[in-house]
Amino acid sequence: MAIAGGIALVTGGTSGIGAAFARALARRGHDLVLVARSEGPLESMAAELRSLGREVETIVADLADDEATARVAARLRDAERPVEVLVNNAGFGLRTRILGADVAEHDRAFDVMIRAVFVLASAAGEAMRARGHGTIVNVGSVSGRTSMNAYSATKAWVNTFSEVLANELHGSGVTVTNLEPGWVHTEFHQRADLRSSSIPNFLWLDAEYLVDRCLRDAERGKVLSIPSVRFQVLTWFTRHLPSAAMRAISRRIALRRRDTVTP
C-alpha cells in the first residue's frame, strides 16, 4: 500500500537524514512542513523543495522547549490542514557520560529525542486515527540495541516506543515504522566530534538509500525498518547473543569511540 499523499511533517528536516526524508517525500508528491531550530537553514531547504513544485511551510521550533513542541503538536492536530506523514527525526549525538554533575546535555536529549517524539507521535496518531489513515516514522537507531552510552539508552526508548505505538494503532489504518539506522554519511558524526575513521567503510550507508528503503518499508506497513543486510545481520546478533556478551561488546566499542573523540 502506497503512503497516502498530502502533507508530510519532518522534524530536523534541514540536514542529514531529515533533509533526505524531505527531498524523498517531495519527489513522491508530498507538500512539506519542515521543523528546525534555525530560520536560515529552514528557508534554504524550503526554497530547494519549492523549486520542485511543492508547497512548503516552515516552523522554527527548538524541540527542547515544551512550548515550541506544543506548537508543532498543534499543527499536527489541525484538521483543516491534515498531516498525513510524520517523520520524527530531530536529534543529536550525546557524548556526555552518565556519571557527572552536569545533566544539561542529558536534559536536552530527553526533551528532543524522547519527550518531543512522544508528544508529536501522540498528537499525529490521534489525528490520523480519527481520519482512518496516516503514517508515522520514528528515527530510532541500531545503537539502541546496544549499551554503549546514554545515546544508546535514549534510542532504545524510541525503538520500544515505536513498537508500543504500533500496537496501540493496530487496525486503525495508521502505520508506525521505526527506522533503525547504523552509521550514515551525514554531518551527524562531525557535529558529535567523532572521527569516522574508527568505523569500517563497509558499515557506512548513504542517507538517500536509507530513506528510500525506510519509505518502502512504511508502504508495506513494516514496523521495523533496518536498511541493508549488514545491519539486519548485526541486529540479529544483538537480539540473540547473551546479554553479558552484548554488554562486553558494547564496552569495547564505547572505549574505542572515546579514544577517537577529537579535542
Side-chain angles (χ1 to χ4, degrees), residues 23-54:
R23 294 184 181 109
L25 289 163
R27 288 193 297 268
R28 287 166 176 251
H30 292 270
D31 293 326
L32 276 297
V33 179
L34 300 180
V35 179
R37 289 188 298 163
S38 302
E39 184 173 2
L42 270 175
E43 291 307 321
S44 177
M45 178 59 68
E48 176 186 333
L49 299 178
R50 288 173 185 139
S51 72
L52 301 176
R54 310 317 316 163

Side-chain angles (χ1 to χ4, degrees), residues 47-66:
E48 176 186 333
L49 299 178
R50 288 173 185 139
S51 72
L52 301 176
R54 310 317 316 163
E55 293 185 9
V56 183
E57 175 185 349
T58 61
I59 301 176
V60 179
D62 183 349
L63 297 180
D65 179 81
D66 291 357

Side-chain angles (χ1 to χ4, degrees), residues 2 10 18 21 31-32 34 36 59 87 96 103 114-115 126 130 142 147-148 160 176 184 211 219-220 263:
V10 182
F21 265 113
D31 293 326
L32 276 297
L34 300 180
I59 301 176
V87 179
T96 305
V103 298
I114 294 181
R115 185 183 184 280
E126 186 178 24
V142 170
S147 52
M148 292 188 293
T160 301
V176 179
V184 184
V211 166
E219 286 175 345
R220 298 184 181 102

Side-chain angles (χ1 to χ4, degrees), residues 27-183:
R27 288 193 297 268
R28 287 166 176 251
H30 292 270
D31 293 326
L32 276 297
V33 179
L34 300 180
V35 179
R37 289 188 298 163
S38 302
E39 184 173 2
L42 270 175
E43 291 307 321
S44 177
M45 178 59 68
E48 176 186 333
L49 299 178
R50 288 173 185 139
S51 72
L52 301 176
R54 310 317 316 163
E55 293 185 9
V56 183
E57 175 185 349
T58 61
I59 301 176
V60 179
D62 183 349
L63 297 180
D65 179 81
D66 291 357
E67 291 185 5
T69 301
R71 284 194 288 109
V72 180
R75 178 64 186 85
L76 288 164
R77 293 192 182 96
D78 188 344
E80 295 184 0
R81 300 175 296 163
V83 171
E84 296 292 346
V85 180
L86 165 65
V87 179
N88 255 326
N89 165 76
F92 56 89
L94 183 59
R95 296 185 295 117
T96 305
R97 298 189 190 187
I98 292 173
L99 300 182
D102 186 3
V103 298
E105 191 173 2
H106 295 289
D107 281 343
R108 181 171 178 78
F110 180 90
D111 287 335
V112 173
M113 294 188 282
I114 294 181
R115 185 183 184 280
V117 170
F118 179 94
V119 171
L120 300 185
S122 175
E126 186 178 24
M128 292 173 179
R129 181 171 59 183
R131 297 193 299 269
H133 51 81
T135 302
I136 297 171
V137 175
N138 294 326
V139 178
S141 177
V142 170
S143 174
R145 300 188 180 277
T146 71
S147 52
M148 292 188 293
N149 47 33
Y151 181 81
S152 299
T154 300
K155 288 301 185 178
W157 184 92
V158 177
N159 293 350
T160 301
F161 170 75
S162 297
E163 297 196 60
V164 173
L165 184 62
N167 278 342
E168 191 164 331
L169 290 170
H170 182 74
S172 69
V174 183
T175 63
V176 179
T177 298
N178 189 67
L179 171 61
E180 298 187 23
W183 287 285

